Amino acid sequence: MMYRIVTVFVCGLVLSVGTSGAATIPVFGPAFGEAGHETIIESLYSGSFTAVGADFIGNGDAAGIQVLRQDDFLFPMGVLSVTDGSRGTAADAIWAGGVISATAEARYAAHSQRFGFDRGNGFELLFDVQGSGTNVTGSASVDLTGDLWRWVRRDGNNTNTWSSDWTLNHDGLDHLVTYRVTGLDTNEAVWLLFWEDLPVCSSDRDYNDLVVEVRALPEPATLAWTTLGGLVVLVGYRRRIGF
Ligand SMILES: [Ca+2]
Ligand SMILES: [Ca+2]
Ligand SMILES: [Ca+2]
C-alpha cells in the first residue's frame, strides 16, 4: 500500500492526510489562563482523563468514559449521523437526522459567541452564549429528524461565521474539532463540539473558544416502529388469550 502525505501550508496551517485518507487537524495548547480540552472534559464528566493520541480516556471516577476524536477529513467526507455516527463513518462537517439538545459548556474567547446550524435555509440560531470559562449558559433543543445540516458558530455581532463544513469557510480553516463521548449513563448519543473563533492567520488554534455538548435522542422512527411492533405483539397476544 502506498503511503501518501499531503501537506498544506496556509499561515502555518498543516494538514496531513495519511494512507486511509482520514485526517485530524492539530489542536494547540490553550493561552495562558485558559483551559485546554482535557481540563474542560474533566470538569464536564467529573473524573480524571488521560490523553491517548487525540482521544481522552477516563480513569478513576470516570473509568469507562471515552472521549473519542472524530475525523476532520475523510474521503469521501460522508454524512455523520448524530444518533449513531462514529469515527470512520464520516467527517464532522455535515450531520444528519435526530432530535437534539445543545448546551454551551465553555467559552475561552474575547468574542461573544452564537451557536446554531444551517440546513440549507441560512443560519438558524440555537442560542447566544452568556458568561465565560465554564460558567456559561445557553441551551436549546430542536427536531432535525430527516434533515442534513452544518453546525454554525458566529461572533455575537455576526462577523466571523464558521461552518462545521470547512469547505464553506472563507479562510479555508477547519474551525470545529468534534469528539464523541461514550460510556456515559444515557441512551443518548453525546458529542462535544470545540470551536476556534479567529480566522486562520490570527488564530491560536486552541479550539476552546466555544464548547458545546450535543445530545441526540434515539431515532423517533425507531421508537415509533418499536412501539408499533409492541402493539402488534400485544394485540396478537390478546387475541390468543381472549381478553
Ligand atoms: Ca472538523
Ligand atoms: Ca482560539
Ligand atoms: Ca481560546
Side-chain angles (χ1 to χ4, degrees):
M1 185 181 296
M2 186 173 72
Y3 188 76
R4 184 170 64 96
I5 293 180
V6 177
T7 304
V8 179
F9 293 93
V10 179
C11 293
L13 171 65
V14 178
L15 173 67
S16 293
V17 183
T19 308
S20 68
T24 53
I25 52 174
V27 174
F28 296 170
F32 179 76
E34 296 190 355
H37 289 198
E38 184 174 325
T39 303
I40 294 169
I41 288 165
E42 288 179 338
S43 74
L44 280 176
Y45 304 117
S46 304
S48 174
F49 284 79
T50 302
V52 178
D55 302 330
F56 295 97
I57 308 302
N59 44 64
D61 290 345
I65 302 175
Q66 297 191 325
V67 180
L68 304 173
R69 177 75 182 274
Q70 304 299 297
D71 299 308
D72 292 302
F73 182 89
L74 206 59
F75 186 80
M77 292 292 272
V79 172
L80 194 58
S81 165
V82 78
T83 54
D84 61 8
S86 60
R87 178 158 54 203
T89 60
D92 67 347
I94 306 171
W95 295 65
V99 178
I100 64 103
S101 60
T103 306
E105 300 291 356
R107 179 177 81 90
Y108 289 95
H111 288 287
S112 55
Q113 312 275 323
R114 319 187 81 192
F115 179 72
F117 59 92
D118 186 338
R119 49 183 157 177
N121 305 320
F123 178 61
E124 296 182 59
L125 177 68
L126 281 170
F127 51 78
D128 286 295
V129 181
Q130 308 294 333
S132 62
T134 54
N135 185 23
V136 292
T137 58
S139 63
S141 299
V142 63
D143 186 351
L144 293 171
T145 305
D147 288 327
L148 293 180
W149 71 91
R150 279 97 168 156
W151 300 114
V152 178
R153 186 227 67 99
R154 284 186 167 188
D155 291 350
N157 61 4
N158 290 326
T159 59
N160 285 337
T161 294
W162 307 123
S163 172
S164 57
D165 183 350
W166 54 270
T167 65
L168 302 179
N169 293 337
H170 65 75
D171 65 350
L173 179 67
D174 186 340
H175 284 259
L176 174 63
V177 162
T178 301
Y179 299 90
R180 178 152 184 185
V181 186
T182 64
L184 297 175
D185 186 19
T186 177
N187 64 349
E188 299 164 319
V190 181
W191 306 87
L192 287 174
L193 311 182
F194 282 74
W195 291 88
E196 174 56 44
D197 67 348
L198 293 178
V200 60
C201 292
S202 54
S203 168
D204 57 7
R205 289 176 224 153
D206 55 3
Y207 290 85
N208 66 356
D209 305 317
L210 173 63
V211 182
V212 176
E213 186 194 68
V214 172
R215 291 179 177 241
L217 297 171
E219 285 280 6
T222 305
L223 287 176
W225 281 112
T226 303
T227 304
L228 183 62
L231 285 174
V232 170
V233 169
L234 180 60
V235 168
Y237 177 69
R238 283 185 164 187
R239 281 181 178 158
R240 281 201 306 279
I241 66 173
F243 76 97

